[in-house]
Amino acid sequence: MSDTFEALGLGTELVTELASLGYEEPTPIQKAAIPPLLAGRDLLGQAATGTGKTAAFALPILQLVGGIKPEPLKPLALVLVPTRELAVQVCEACHRYGKGLGIAVAPIYGGQEFHRQVVALRRGVHVVVATPGRALDHMRRGTLDLSGLRIVALDEADEMLDMGFAEDLELILEGTPETRQTALFSATL
Ligand code: AMP
C-alpha cells in the first residue's frame, strides 16, 4: 500500500496543506478510499470516528472539484451528515485542506437562519456540507440546485438512517444527476 499522500494520487496543493497540518502519512481508510474516489468510482466505506474518515472523502472531493468554478446556488459536491456539529466540523476540515486550491465551502444546517446560508450559496461554493432536513428545505425553496453535482458523500450514514432521515436522503438524491459519484461512510455496514 502507498505510504504517502502523493502516492495515493493527491496533488501538490493538498499535499502541502497536509504537511503543514503535520499529517505524516495516510491512515488505512485514507489509503483504501482515496485512489478509487479519485478514479471516479463509487465507494462504500466502513470507518468509525477517529480513523481519519473525514479526510478519506474530503481530500478526493476537493481534488475533483478544485479546478472548477462553481455557479451560484449550484455546488459541485455535497456532503450529508447527521448533525450540525458534524456539519461544522467537516466544513472546517474541507476549508483547512482546501486552502491551497481556493475551495469555497458552506455549512447548511437547521437552527441557523436561512438568509445567511443563502448568501453563502449565492456566492457559489464548491462544497456544501449539510444535514438532510435543511438541505431539502433549501432545495424546495429553490436556493439549492443539485443538478450540477459531481459527487455526493454520505457521512455516518448509519446515524442518518437511525435518526429517520431515509426519506429525506432519497428525495435529496433524486435531485442529483445520475452520473454523480457516490461515497457512503458508515461505522457499521
Ligand atoms: P476523523 O476520523 O475524520 O474524525 O479524524 C480524526 C482526527 O485525525 C482528526 O483530528 C484529523 O485531523 C486527524 N487526522 C486525519 N487523518 C490524519 C493523518 N493522516 N495523519 C494525522 N492525523 C490525521
Side-chain angles (χ1 to χ4, degrees):
M1 277 236 210
S2 318
D3 286 332
T4 66
F5 287 104
E6 290 98 321
L8 298 181
L10 294 174
T12 315
E13 295 89 347
L14 287 170
V15 170
T16 306
E17 223 47 72
L18 294 171
S20 80
L21 290 171
Y23 289 18
E24 285 171 4
E25 62 172 290
T27 66
I29 185 71
Q30 291 163 5
K31 289 181 193 175
I34 293 173
L37 285 175
L38 286 177
R41 283 165 53 197
D42 290 344
L43 186 101
L44 201 61
Q46 183 172 8
T49 300
T51 57
K53 73 174 160 69
T54 309
F57 62 79
L59 295 170
I61 286 179
L62 298 173
Q63 177 144 320
L64 289 167
V65 302
I68 312 170
K69 187 174 161 23
E71 287 175 42
L73 308 180
K74 281 181 82 169
L76 299 157
L78 173 69
V79 182
L80 291 164
V81 298
T83 63
R84 78 183 66 169
E85 290 75 19
L86 196 57
V88 170
Q89 210 177 299
V90 171
C91 190
E92 278 170 3
C94 288
H95 184 70
R96 229 170 24 231
Y97 302 147
K99 255 188 217 149
L101 286 170
I103 294 279
V105 200
I108 299 292
Y109 51 83
Q112 190 188 45
E113 51 168 332
F114 274 94
H115 180 69
R116 208 167 128 188
Q117 299 177 351
V118 174
V119 169
L121 292 169
R122 281 222 179 94
R123 229 178 271 138
V125 292
H126 296 84
V127 185
V128 164
V129 185
T131 51
R134 185 53 75 99
L136 202 53
D137 285 344
H138 276 285
M139 288 169 75
R140 289 185 169 135
R141 287 168 175 236
T143 50
L144 179 61
D145 175 352
L146 299 182
S147 67
L149 221 59
R150 307 293 175 99
I151 179 163
V152 60
L154 294 97
D155 189 16
E156 304 201 350
D158 48 346
E159 287 288 322
M160 289 198 280
L161 295 179
D162 284 348
M163 290 167 75
F165 283 133
E167 202 179 315
D168 286 0
L169 292 175
E170 218 166 289
L171 290 167
I172 292 167
L173 294 177
E174 271 172 24
T176 67
E178 269 178 37
T179 51
R180 59 133 223 285
Q181 221 180 318
T182 309
L184 186 148
F185 283 81
S186 182
T188 56
L189 284 179

